Amino acid sequence: MAAANAGRDTQPEPASPDVPPNKTSKGGPAKESAVRRVVRARWNAISLNTKLVSTVLVLLTIGVACISFSIRQLVSNYLLEKVDTQIVQQANLVFQNIDLLRNSDTNSTGMTDFFLQIRDTDANILTTPLKPTIAQDVVSEPVLPPSGTMGDVTFGEPFTAQSIVHLGSELPSRATLSTARSPWRVVSMKVVRNDVFSYIIFIGLPLADSIDTVSRLTRYCVMVGIAVILLGGVIGTLVVQGTLAPLKRIEKTAAKIAAGDLKQRIPSTPENTEIGSLSASLNAMLARIERSFREQQSTTDKMKRFVSDASHELRTPLAAIHGYAELYKMQRDMPGALERADESIAHIEASSSRMTVLVEDLLSLARLDEGRGIDISQQVHLTSIVRDAADDLHALDPDRGITCGVVRFVPRNGEEAARLAFEQGDLPAISLNGDGSRLRQVVTNIVGNIHRYTPVDSPVEVSMGEVIASIGDDSLGRMPPTEQSLRHFLDAVDVGQSINVGMRYAVVRFSDHGPGVPAESRERIFERFYTADPSRARQKGGTGLGMAIVESVIKAHHGFICACETDGGGLTIVVVLPIAPVEIPAVQTQDGRSAKGGKTSRNAKAGKTLFASKSPKANR
C-alpha cells in the first residue's frame, strides 16, 4: 500500500492552463530544442575535412575497442574453462596424493598450486591439507562457506571465490601480494567410498596466471589499438585531403568567378568519379552562365546604343521643327513673311516626314522583335519579287547595268573552299512559304541601299539559286550575319549536295561594284542606326534602320543574311531562305509496291541537325 501510495504521489500534476502544451513551467522541451539547435549549428560550422577525419578516428576507435574487448573476453573465458577442466580432471588425483603433494617442492611441479579442504557430510571442516605457499611465506586460500554450511554452492559446478592472504614474518613484495590476492576457481565434490557418501572436498586453483595473461593481452591490444588509430588517422587525413583537393580547387575557382573572372574553369578530372562528374557539370554550367552573361551584356550595350542612337535620330528633326517654328514666329510680322512661312512650313513638313518614317521603322522593328506583324505561312513566288526589285533599280538608275542570273554552287576543291558563283541567265522559278510583303520590303531595302550608296554607273548582278544543305533552319536562323557563318553554311551545302540529304534553301545575291564596305564594318551594317558617316548627317537619306529590318525579317523566316566582298570590289548581300526538307525518292520493292527509302521526316530531321553542333562560336 505504501508503495502504491508513493507511486500515486509521484504522478505528475496536470499542466496549468497558463502554460503552453509544448512547454513545461521549467522550459524543458524548449531548452532541449535550443540545445539541439546549438549542437547542430556547431556541427555545421565544422569543416568537411575535420568531420570525415573525426568520423574515421571514431570508427577506428570503436572498432579497435570492440575487437580488443572481444579478444579479452574470449581468452578470459577460454582460460577459465581450462582451469575448470584441470580442476575436475585432477581432483581425484590430488585427493589421493595429499601427503605427496604436501611434502613436495613448491618449485618442482604445478600440482602444488592446488588448494584442498576436506569436510564431513554435514559440511563441517575436518582439515585443509593443501594450502599453496606463493613466496616469502605468503599463503593464499579461497573464501569458502563457513563450517557446517554449503551456502549456495552446487556440487560439481565451479565457482569463483575471493582470496584470503596470510602473511609471514617477512614483508612480501608488491608482485607477490598482488598474486596472492588473485581470486580462486573452486569446485565442491562428494567423495564416495564403497558406495557410501564419506566426505565433501573443496578443491581449487588460483586464477593469478589467467588474470596475468588476460592483463598482458589487454595491454598489447591497447598498444596495438593506439598504433592502429594513429596510423589510421594519418592515412585517413592524407586520403581525405587528397580526395577533397578537387573540391578545394572548385572552391577557389568559384571564388575567382565570384570576383568577376567568368573565364575561370574547374580542372577536369575523370568523369566516372563523383568529383569529375561534378566538375564537368559545373564547367558546362559556367560556360552557359558566361555565354548568357556575355549575351546579356551585349544586349544591354546594344540597347544603350540603340536608345542613344534613337534619341539622336529623333532629336535632329525635332530640332529642325522647333527651329523653323521659332523662325516663323520671329519673321511673321516682317515684309515677305508669307513666302518665308511657306519655306518654314516646307522644312517642318520634311522633318516631320523623316520623323514619321523613323517612328514607323522603330515600330516595325519592335513588332518583329515580339514576333508580331509577320505571317510566314503564305505561298510566295520569290522570283517575281526579286525581278520586280531589279526593275525598280533600273527605273531609279537607268544608266546602271543590271544583270540577272543563277547562283551556282562551287564545291570544295582541295585547299580551295566552297563558294557561290554567278552565272548569267534567267532567274530560276523559286517559291516558298513566307510573308510576301515583308520579303518584298527586304529586297526593296537592299536595292534602295545600292541605289543610295553606289555610283549610278556601277554594274549590279542579281542572282538566285537553290541548294541543299545539311543544316537545319533553326540552326541557320541563329547564326550571326558574318562571313564565318557563310563559310559554315557553304560547308553544310557541300555535304548536303553530296549525300542529297538535308534542307532545300533559296539563295539570293545582290552584288554591286561600288566603293564597298571595310571588312571590320560589314557585320555592323545590320545594326540599328549604324552609319559609316561619323557625323550622322544622313545626307543620302535613310533612317539607319533599313538593314536592321532586313535582318529581323530574314531571322523571322528562319533564314540567314550576311554581307561579303564582291569579286573585283564592291559589296555582296547574300540572303538564304529555307524552302522545304529534301524528299527521298520512292523505290520499288520485290512485291511490286512502292516504298520510300526511309521516312522523309526522319531523314529531313537528320539533315537538319547534321551540322547543328558546329555552329560558330558567335552564335552561342
Side-chain angles (χ1 to χ4, degrees), residues 305-335:
R305 187 166 60 250
F306 172 73
V307 172
S308 176
D309 293 341
S311 302
H312 181 84
E313 295 291 340
L314 289 172
R315 183 179 61 182
T316 301
L318 286 175
I321 292 173
H322 180 73
Y324 282 109
E326 289 290 334
L327 182 62
Y328 169 73
K329 290 173 62 178
M330 293 171 58
Q331 297 180 351
R332 63 184 176 182
D333 295 332
M334 298 174 64

Side-chain angles (χ1 to χ4, degrees), residues 33 133 284 362 441 450 453 557:
S33 178
T133 301
L362 287 173
Q441 183 183 14
I450 295 175
Y453 295 107
H557 283 79

